[in-house]
Amino acid sequence: MKKNLVRRPSHFKPSVMVAMLALITSLCGALPASAQRTADPLQDASPKEILDQIRKDARVNPLRTARLLADLRPERMSADDRATWVHLSREAALRNGDLATLLALKGQPDPFSLLPLSRLLLANAHLNEANLPAARAELDKLGPLAGLNTRDQRRYWALRARLGQLEGRPDAERAAIERIVEELAHWPSADCQSCHNDPKAPLALPFLEIRNTWYGQRFVELLKAQGDAGRVRLLAEQRLLSQPDDIKARIVLGYVCLAEGRPDEAERYWAEIPWLALSDRQGTPVRMMFSWP
């Protein structure tokens, strides 16, 4: 490709060029700082906004991505933004063949690390093959769950519930299912909706179906089999008396009513939660929702 060349006239003396450059420099110095440079659209952006912008080109230009990430100060970020920085930095280092950076990032918190996800998938595979000890061993290797993202935590408890059911340990199965039921109250949160809402209608909260789910059905069956629906009802009612807005208590009371054979009463409890799917409610469909495992 030919470059555009500007020819200097033969009579254009070097001394004149120097003088002109000096004049231009002095004029630029007299201008306000804002006029001397092109405004950076991200100069006042938050770390999250900067990381979101970097992510857009991460796959296209990994070298540039690595440089941009290296210029940031992760120690000044929130825990969530720092985890995103670690995740993007690892991906860029891998694409660039940068072993030094990968080693430097080893052990850094990353909620979307492939290692815990691989253990969950392997545990699921062992369950499919009826290798229950191997499945339990993979789940035990995960350690504390606080570092996992919401999706992987949900998968962990789902696998624990299935493992307890297959091993004939109803107490272990129920403990895992109760963890899933407790998390249902977080449905309106940005953490959940970042995956499940409709990107074309981000403000429209999709309705969540909880009655005809495998964990809901198993919870009802276990309440019946273990015969403590009354005790669970009393505890949930006490919580609701002290905190009328307790969504977890309303959800549990709905399941208790189903276990006690009162589906209409269950609907009344759940009707107080505006984002739960009911027979007479039509809402935005849920995205990326499927039964697992």
Side-chain angles (χ1 to χ4, degrees):
M1 181 182 294
K2 294 182 178 180
K3 296 183 178 179
N4 294 325
L5 299 178
V6 178
R7 292 186 177 181
R8 188 179 67 191
S10 58
H11 64 275
F12 202 93
K13 297 181 181 180
S15 60
V16 176
M17 179 181 286
V18 172
M20 290 184 66
L21 288 173
L23 177 61
I24 292 172
T25 302
S26 64
L27 288 173
C28 289
L31 293 174
S34 59
Q36 294 182 39
R37 63 178 183 273
T38 302
D40 181 0
L42 291 177
Q43 63 181 350
D44 297 322
S46 67
K48 183 181 186 306
E49 292 170 329
I50 295 173
L51 290 168
D52 286 344
Q53 187 63 37
I54 290 175
R55 184 188 284 109
K56 292 180 179 179
D57 297 327
R59 293 182 180 274
V60 178
N61 194 336
L63 284 172
R64 180 174 179 273
T65 296
R67 288 195 296 268
L68 292 173
L69 291 167
D71 289 340
L72 299 179
R73 301 290 297 274
E75 69 276 8
R76 296 182 179 180
M77 298 178 184
S78 67
D80 288 344
D81 290 339
R82 188 162 55 251
T84 300
W85 179 87
V86 170
H87 185 73
L88 292 174
S89 298
R90 279 178 170 156
E91 287 185 341
L94 185 60
R95 289 167 185 152
N96 293 323
D98 183 358
L99 179 60
T101 297
L102 286 174
L103 290 172
L105 294 171
K106 190 173 183 179
Q108 292 295 316
D110 178 2
F112 289 93
S113 170
L114 294 178
L115 185 58
L117 176 58
S118 67
R119 296 200 191 286
L120 291 169
L121 295 176
L122 187 55
N124 191 182
H126 285 312
L127 286 180
N128 290 341
E129 297 292 331
N131 191 342
L132 306 188
R136 192 184 320 108
E138 290 300 328
L139 294 176
D140 290 342
K141 291 176 185 176
L142 283 169
L145 301 184
L148 299 184
N149 62 75
T150 301
R151 179 202 64 191
D152 289 347
Q153 289 187 34
R154 167 72 170 73
R155 289 180 169 181
Y156 172 87
W157 290 114
L159 288 170
R160 283 291 188 192
R162 292 302 196 189
L163 183 61
Q165 181 182 14
L166 291 170
E167 291 178 329
R169 296 186 298 125
D171 289 343
E173 180 191 3
R174 177 162 164 178
I177 285 179
E178 286 179 346
R179 292 297 297 265
I180 296 172
V181 171
E182 287 177 4
E183 290 298 314
L184 296 176
H186 297 297
W187 179 249
S189 69
D191 197 29
C192 291
Q193 294 310 308
S194 61
C195 289
H196 297 304
N197 71 354
D198 183 354
K200 297 179 181 178
L203 299 181
L205 187 63
F207 288 170
L208 178 65
E209 165 65 45
I210 67 171
R211 178 170 182 170
N212 299 309
T213 58
W214 71 265
Y215 57 82
Q217 292 170 347
R218 287 299 299 164
F219 188 33
V220 170
E221 290 172 12
L222 288 168
L223 285 169
K224 292 178 181 178
Q226 295 180 323
D228 64 341
R231 179 186 64 83
V232 175
R233 168 188 278 279
L234 180 60
L235 292 174
E237 287 176 341
Q238 289 174 345
R239 284 169 52 186
L240 207 55
L241 282 174
S242 60
Q243 300 181 35
D245 295 331
D246 192 326
I247 294 175
K248 294 181 182 180
R250 289 190 182 278
I251 290 175
V252 169
L253 281 169
Y255 283 128
V256 168
C257 289
L258 292 179
E260 294 177 337
R262 294 197 296 275
D264 291 342
E265 189 175 344
E267 289 269 313
R268 285 196 293 273
Y269 276 117
W270 288 346
E272 296 296 322
I273 305 172
W275 41 263
L276 285 185
L278 300 175
S279 56
D280 59 345
R281 283 179 179 171
Q282 299 295 325
T284 304
V286 179
R287 183 171 60 100
M288 293 175 58
M289 179 69 77
F290 55 90
S291 181
W292 198 91

